[in-house]
Amino acid sequence: MNEYLDPYAIKARLAPAALAIAPVIVLIVLAFNWAQPSLPEAIISLAVMVLFFAASNVARRLGKRKERQLFATTGGRPENRELSYLDKTLDDRTKDRYRKFLARQLDQPAPTRDMEVEDPDEAAAFYVQCYNWLRENTRDTEKFRILFNENIAYGYYRNLLALKPYGIMLNLLTIAAAAAIIYYKPDFAELTHGKLVALGILAAVHAGYLIFGVTRRAVLDASKAYARQLTLSCEALIVQMKSA
């Protein structure tokens, strides 16, 4: 259970899952009697709780699959190029300090500008080792709070992008289910035309956010922000090493 309650799981997995199935939750709230709940409402409450946790796991798996698709050319993981001479994210002096620091930690020579041009694969392999080392040494979420938050933001957008088509489909199915409740008037649920209109408006807003706000570009921007902060974590690690 603890794995579902840590901040990353809540914000990067449960939150996208909850947002994706939000139309279903709204329909349940509107269609059932929560003032005097009976057995159907109790069963539905339990089912919703299970649905949240199941959706969280699905969000993680689909998110990993989407990540592999987005970064297929780099082995399925975001490529970190911020230490490269050609990358303009950070200034040259800062990158030079960070390369020298990481080279000492890895006990390997850092590539020069000429080496990076002449043998880009070897230089890329060095940078991969640098970022692997950085990820392993920045796991303290209190000391590296900004980095942790950027990682959460990336996980949120990645997982929600993976759930996007399902969320849009749920909007359509929810409206269809609401219309069926009004038409057939089953004993276990009840909806008014006013609630159907409200549900339609919410569904439209929800679909609009998924279509225009959750995009490949949003994921790539979040990935870039995380990579930049991961590189900048060298600053705190340099200070930490000096004071040790």
Side-chain angles (χ1 to χ4, degrees):
M1 180 64 72
N2 288 338
E3 66 179 289
Y4 294 106
L5 299 179
D6 72 83
Y8 183 88
I10 292 172
K11 297 177 183 178
R13 295 174 189 167
L14 273 176
L19 189 55
I21 64 174
V24 177
I25 305 302
V26 173
L27 175 61
I28 290 171
V29 170
L30 293 178
F32 291 88
N33 181 11
W34 299 103
Q36 296 179 325
S38 57
L39 183 59
E41 284 77 18
I43 294 174
I44 289 171
S45 298
L46 181 61
V48 167
M49 290 178 62
V50 173
L51 182 62
F52 269 124
F53 289 116
S56 174
N57 281 326
V58 171
R60 181 180 182 276
R61 291 200 303 273
L62 293 180
K64 286 292 186 181
R65 184 188 304 171
K66 177 60 69 174
E67 183 177 69
R68 289 193 293 272
Q69 294 172 357
L70 289 173
F71 303 102
T73 58
T74 56
R77 293 190 64 178
E79 184 179 24
N80 300 116
R81 299 287 297 166
E82 288 71 24
L83 288 171
S84 166
Y85 290 91
L86 298 177
D87 192 273
K88 301 302 180 184
T89 303
L90 302 175
D91 63 275
D92 290 339
R93 289 186 177 181
T94 298
K95 288 190 293 184
D96 190 51
R97 282 196 305 115
Y98 292 171
R99 277 191 296 267
K100 289 178 179 177
F101 166 72
L102 291 166
R104 289 195 298 271
Q105 309 313 311
L106 296 172
D107 195 22
Q108 293 186 28
T112 63
R113 185 183 295 271
D114 290 340
M115 290 169 60
E116 188 174 295
V117 173
E118 294 169 3
D119 194 350
D121 290 339
E122 186 66 24
F126 173 79
Y127 296 139
V128 167
Q129 292 182 70
C130 288
Y131 283 103
N132 286 341
W133 186 90
L134 283 173
R135 277 187 284 269
E136 288 301 318
N137 287 273
T138 53
R139 293 188 180 277
D140 188 328
T141 58
E142 291 301 320
K143 288 184 179 179
F144 299 96
R145 172 61 59 180
I146 297 176
L147 177 64
F148 182 54
N149 288 336
E150 295 291 2
N151 190 30
I152 287 175
Y154 168 69
Y156 168 85
Y157 279 108
R158 181 200 68 187
N159 293 339
L160 190 53
L161 180 65
L163 292 170
K164 177 178 177 177
Y166 304 98
I168 294 172
M169 180 178 64
L170 281 176
N171 271 301
L172 300 176
L173 292 176
T174 300
I175 296 300
I181 290 173
I182 289 179
Y183 182 79
Y184 291 106
K185 296 180 174 58
D187 294 335
F188 59 85
E190 181 181 359
L191 272 178
T192 64
H193 286 86
K195 287 183 177 180
L196 178 61
V197 171
L199 182 62
I201 294 172
L202 289 173
V205 172
H206 181 262
Y209 172 70
L210 291 178
I211 293 169
F212 299 108
V214 184
T215 62
R216 182 176 184 274
R217 172 50 54 191
V219 177
L220 295 178
D221 287 346
S223 172
K224 189 71 174 176
Y226 169 74
R228 179 181 182 276
Q229 194 58 44
L230 181 61
T231 309
L232 289 173
S233 66
C234 284
E235 209 67 57
L237 289 166
I238 290 171
V239 174
Q240 181 178 304
M241 293 291 183
K242 285 181 178 179
S243 61

